[in-house]
Amino acid sequence: MARKFVVNPDWAAMLLDTQAAIDAVANVGPVGIVGFCLGGSVVYAAATKLSGLTAAIGYYGGAIVRFADDKPKVPTQLHFGEKDTGIPLTDVEIIRGKRPEVEIHVYSGAQHGFNCEERASYDKASADIARARSVEFLAKHLKK
């Protein structure tokens, strides 16, 4: 099956949908957001532009570098694979340089999609470490 990629995603619509989801659960308590791939980029944009979030975690968001000048309003954690052919380490270093307050992890030998068990690029060791870091990050920042 051929993969289909979104060339020009509708960022405004995605952020409107994300804000609606945040608003829908805000009465329950602190709201954290986690996203993968394009969702990782949406998470970063949401952390910089939307209200109602308490913490944000993005996995291998390729468009994050486009938004790196924007400072997140909430604690933000990002995960990247060292061998991700779609997100060069130079992009990760740009993000790190512009956003020193963001917690950034790069996983040695990991590719894009390293946290998805359904992909050939799944890397259990990296995924286990990233998930533990994510859980710890959310536990720390989503306390009531």
Side-chain angles (χ1 to χ4, degrees):
M1 181 166 102
R3 288 192 169 175
K4 295 181 182 179
F5 294 96
V6 178
V7 177
N8 292 311
D10 186 341
W11 290 100
M14 288 187 292
L15 290 175
L16 279 172
D17 288 346
T18 304
Q19 185 66 64
I22 294 165
D23 294 344
V25 298
N27 64 338
V28 177
V31 178
I33 187 170
V34 180
F36 300 83
C37 197
L38 178 59
S41 298
V42 172
V43 160
Y44 188 84
T48 67
K49 297 177 180 358
L50 302 183
S51 60
L53 286 173
T54 305
I57 300 174
Y59 281 74
Y60 31 84
I64 293 171
V65 71
R66 293 174 44 193
F67 305 112
D69 287 330
D70 300 333
K71 181 178 181 179
K73 299 177 185 180
V74 298
T76 301
Q77 182 182 73
L78 301 175
H79 302 271
F80 296 97
E82 175 193 37
K83 302 290 184 183
D84 189 328
T85 59
I87 306 171
L89 288 179
T90 52
D91 284 3
V92 177
E93 290 310 313
I94 289 169
I95 298 164
R96 193 185 307 272
K98 291 183 176 188
R99 299 276 55 100
E101 71 281 5
V102 172
E103 186 178 320
I104 297 176
H105 300 283
V106 177
Y107 298 88
S108 179
Q111 300 176 44
H112 191 83
F114 70 83
N115 199 56
C116 179
E117 295 173 356
E118 296 177 2
R119 296 178 73 138
S121 58
Y122 176 64
D123 181 326
K124 181 174 179 2
S126 296
D128 288 348
I129 294 167
R131 286 179 192 156
R133 286 175 171 160
S134 296
V135 168
E136 181 180 332
F137 187 82
L138 291 173
K140 176 181 177 183
H141 295 291
L142 296 184
K143 293 179 183 175
K144 285 188 180 185

